[in-house]
Amino acid sequence: MAFTHTVGVRRHVFDDLRTLLAKASPARSGDALAGIAAASEEERMAARMALADMPLAHCLAEPLIPYEADEVTRLIVDSHDAQAFAALASLTVGEFRDWLLRHDTDTATLARVAPGVTPEMAAAVSKLMRNQDLVAVARKCAVVTAFRNTIGLPGRLAVRLQPNHPTDDPRGIAASIIDGLLYGCGDATIGINPASDNLGAIATLLKLLDDIRTRYEIPTQSCVLTHVTNTLRVMEQGAPVDLVFQSVAGSQAANEAFGISLALLEEARQAALSLRRGTVGHNVMYFETGQGSALSANAHHGVDQQTMEARAYAVARRFEPLLVNTVVGFIGPEYLYDGKQIIRAGLEDHFCGKLLGVPMGCDVCYTNHAEADQDDMDNLLTLFGVAGINFIMGVPGADDIMLNYQSTSFHDALYLREVLGLRPAPEFEAWLRKMGIVDAGGRLLEPGARQPLLTMADML
């Protein structure tokens, strides 16, 4: 189906929904690299006007990737909840934006319609929204998950403690863990990106994390972010696995490039559930995504990178994860060129994920060859805090010495909690009080006022 809009005397024609969505996207280097971006601001605005007039239900009628050729499309179509969509079925995309921004469209209402919203609908409406709209609507979405603590509650901000080490040295990792815990970080998970895919090394790291957690009775969950097949193998060997990690994308071909399928993810989820290691909940999956991953694998099918990213959240939603985070600036400037593009992409991702009912966090990050700096990350971090993000990263000094990129630090998490009055996950906060790290109000105690029961010497 073709879409048209006239600007002055110029008539703009968009051949199909895929083209319309790509041309309506805010400018970003990845879409330009793919040759699908709007050629001018006039064309971009014409596409947005045509998109605003399009019935929202058209997203169901015109799959961006053929149903018979793509299992992600089949998942989106087959799992669509028509009853939940009924409240939205008569709206255009522009009217959907207005409906989302209404005061009486509250948290409960958004939760009810989430199963009826497809990734294409979320991506489409996001293209009509300003940054403040993305923040305002995402803030109204609450997605709560649990394993050994509860993540996503209002007024809470969790942190993934990321103690990566370039040689997987246990003492270096332990030093980063103790540093993060003493800053009140680690409630989302203590998660290591291993330098090696050696199964023995992975099992050693899992045991290290589990020993620390059990010795100090920390109400959190651990994760080694290796490929899902490695996690399955170490589970078979009896390793103490809490969360199963995997990077996911928005097309079958992109997921095949990651070496995964939906069936494999379900096998891993069932294996993790069978261990029964959760205490307050049983969300056992941890997924990471990022705009540009499908394009980098030549598996985007001509679809713009932001819509492909939203489709990845449909994959995540299927497996009821504890955590999902967009690693927003990690892939590089070929896909998100500068700080402005990174900030916009992060807000889009958080909005789309939350609208779909996914527990979104973000690795607020950039690579050193992008036109971005830590001030840009401070801006995005603060916007996320206002938008009600579930969790962020906590990296020593904000500089990951294994993955070689810039992220957010333990201090950044402390800043965000302080200025916005946010607190850790409730079970973790109670542990921090017991350990003499925070006061009764959840605020970090000054070093001279602490009597921590946790020391570097004890851990090492």
Side-chain angles (χ1 to χ4, degrees):
M1 174 180 174
F3 303 87
T4 64
H5 187 78
T6 301
V7 180
V9 297
R10 188 191 302 270
R11 184 169 180 261
H12 294 269
V13 180
F14 308 97
D15 292 337
D16 51 28
L17 179 58
R18 182 189 298 114
T19 303
L20 181 66
L21 290 171
K23 301 296 186 183
S25 287
R28 62 203 54 196
S29 52
D31 291 340
L33 178 66
I36 60 175
S40 66
E41 288 303 318
E42 179 182 298
E43 184 181 32
R44 179 171 291 112
M45 186 54 65
R48 289 176 179 170
M49 296 297 289
L51 182 61
D53 291 336
M54 186 189 82
L56 191 62
H58 186 77
C59 293
L60 298 170
E62 187 179 342
L64 300 180
I65 304 173
Y67 180 92
E68 61 277 4
D70 184 82
E71 69 172 358
V72 177
T73 298
R74 293 194 290 274
L75 171 66
I76 293 167
V77 173
D78 296 347
S79 63
H80 181 252
D81 188 330
Q83 184 174 353
F85 181 62
L88 310 174
S90 65
L91 302 179
T92 65
V93 177
E95 290 168 342
F96 184 36
R97 171 190 176 274
D98 295 342
W99 181 86
L100 289 169
L101 289 166
R102 282 168 45 177
H103 292 301
D104 56 354
T105 302
D106 58 12
T107 300
T109 303
L110 290 168
R112 282 196 300 272
V113 303
V117 178
T118 68
E120 291 81 2
M121 294 174 192
V125 74
S126 75
K127 297 175 193 299
L128 306 182
M129 302 176 87
R130 295 169 56 186
N131 286 4
Q132 66 174 255
D133 299 337
L134 298 173
V135 169
V137 176
R139 185 175 177 82
K140 296 192 288 185
C141 297
V143 184
V144 180
T145 56
F147 190 78
R148 289 197 189 92
N149 58 40
T150 308
I151 298 171
L153 293 168
R156 304 282 177 170
L157 173 71
V159 182
R160 171 190 158 194
L161 203 171
Q162 185 170 306
N164 295 345
H165 192 279
T167 64
D168 289 338
D169 178 68
R171 290 175 63 86
I173 289 170
S176 294
I177 292 173
I178 187 70
D179 191 22
L181 290 172
L182 289 173
Y183 276 102
C185 299
D187 43 352
T189 185
I190 303 175
I192 302 170
N193 297 89
S196 167
D197 279 334
N198 177 274
L199 292 183
I202 292 165
T204 297
L205 292 176
L206 285 165
K207 188 174 186 305
L208 169 68
L209 292 174
D210 202 54
D211 286 348
I212 292 171
R213 182 190 63 78
T214 54
R215 184 191 307 180
Y216 297 103
E217 300 179 323
I218 308 172
T220 191
Q221 37 283 329
S222 63
C223 185
V224 172
L225 283 71
T226 187
H227 193 270
V228 62
T229 53
N230 291 334
T231 304
L232 277 167
R233 291 170 69 185
V234 295
M235 274 195 279
E236 291 170 356
Q237 297 170 6
V241 172
D242 289 343
L243 303 181
V244 175
F245 167 81
Q246 183 55 48
S247 295
V248 297
S251 73
Q252 179 176 335
N255 284 325
E256 287 173 350
F258 285 143
I260 62 168
S261 66
L262 301 183
L264 178 62
L265 294 177
E266 180 59 21
E267 178 187 353
R269 177 172 175 264
Q270 292 302 323
L273 286 170
S274 72
L275 300 179
R276 300 183 180 275
R277 291 175 61 85
T279 55
V280 299
H282 303 286
N283 299 109
V284 296
M285 305 299 285
Y286 175 13
F287 296 121
E288 286 188 347
T289 65
Q291 288 195 27
S293 59
L295 175 59
S296 69
N298 195 28
H300 63 107
H301 299 270
V303 179
D304 69 273
Q305 67 183 41
Q306 188 249 329
T307 302
M308 288 301 298
E309 173 72 2
R311 286 170 57 94
Y313 304 148
V315 175
R317 178 168 64 175
R318 163 66 180 79
F319 300 101
E320 300 179 2
L322 180 76
L323 309 168
V324 177
N325 76 281
T326 168
V327 192
V328 64
F330 182 76
I331 301 181
E334 298 83 1
Y335 306 95
L336 295 170
Y337 178 72
D338 58 14
K340 182 175 182 178
Q341 291 189 11
I342 291 170
I343 289 169
R344 174 69 190 190
L347 294 177
E348 290 169 345
D349 295 349
H350 181 243
F351 163 83
C352 288
K354 283 288 186 66
L355 191 59
L356 292 167
V358 173
M360 288 301 297
C362 183
D363 191 340
V364 182
C365 63
Y366 66 101
T367 58
N368 285 320
H369 62 311
E371 291 293 322
D373 58 27
Q374 210 66 34
D375 285 338
D376 295 311
M377 299 305 103
D378 285 350
N379 293 342
L380 181 54
L381 176 69
T382 305
L383 289 167
F384 274 143
V386 176
I389 199 163
N390 281 26
F391 70 101
I392 60 168
M393 303 296 116
V395 178
D399 183 8
D400 192 301
I401 59 173
M402 196 280 283
L403 293 174
N404 293 310
Y405 77 115
Q406 308 304 308
S407 185
T408 48
S409 70
F410 307 140
H411 303 77
D412 295 329
L414 184 62
Y415 147 77
L416 200 59
R417 284 173 174 167
E418 178 72 19
V419 298
L420 296 177
L422 302 171
R423 298 167 71 157
E427 301 88 348
F428 190 77
E429 182 184 354
W431 178 82
L432 291 171
R433 286 198 303 270
K434 184 182 77 171
M435 299 300 288
I437 297 171
V438 302
D439 63 19
R443 297 182 65 181
L444 197 71
L445 289 166
E446 294 295 329
R450 296 184 190 179
Q451 293 182 327
L453 303 179
L454 181 68
T455 69
M456 183 74 74
D458 289 338
M459 188 169 289
L460 297 180

